[in-house]
Amino acid sequence: MFIASEGSREVGLVETYRHADHPTWHGQIQVDHAIGVDYGIGLPRDRGGGLGRAMLTVLIDEALDLFADCDYVVAVPKSANRPSCALLESMRFTLHAVKPVE
């Protein structure tokens, strides 16, 4: 997990993990050889200005180096979170499924 900052101000967090290291999660998502990425931006004033894209770009590059045995990067936003879904679509993620997960 990494904290994203602009100067000395913390603005968000990102984390990455190998799905295979979390069998329950892997069983729900069902994408083999996958890296998971999670991200969040703390304050509404920091949203919509490209921060999420910058955080994910850096995280994905690092994750692919860290987990060289994985071929896919998976993000699992809530379907109602349209800004997050739009960001992922703009970064060329493709929708794999819409389903409830715990």
Side-chain angles (χ1 to χ4, degrees):
M1 179 179 291
F2 303 91
I3 301 295
S5 61
E6 281 188 331
S8 61
R9 192 169 69 89
E10 296 173 347
V11 294
L13 66 89
V14 293
E15 70 175 348
T16 187
Y17 48 90
R18 183 187 293 113
H19 278 207
D21 293 338
H22 302 275
T24 302
W25 182 248
H26 177 69
Q28 291 183 65
I29 304 305
Q30 299 178 342
V31 177
D32 292 330
H33 308 287
I35 299 164
V37 293
D38 299 322
Y39 53 96
I41 297 174
L43 298 175
R45 71 178 189 206
D46 294 320
R47 298 179 189 144
L51 182 59
R53 177 182 306 278
M55 291 183 340
L56 279 177
T57 298
V58 170
L59 180 66
I60 290 168
D61 286 344
E62 292 292 324
L64 290 170
D65 285 342
L66 184 62
F67 303 121
D69 60 320
C70 293
D71 300 316
Y72 301 98
V73 178
V74 176
V76 184
K78 292 183 178 182
S79 59
N81 186 343
R82 287 307 311 149
S84 183
C85 293
L87 169 63
L88 294 168
E89 290 165 4
S90 75
M91 294 182 72
R92 299 180 52 204
F93 278 71
T94 57
L95 180 62
H96 176 70
V98 176
K99 59 184 177 181
V101 295
E102 293 182 29

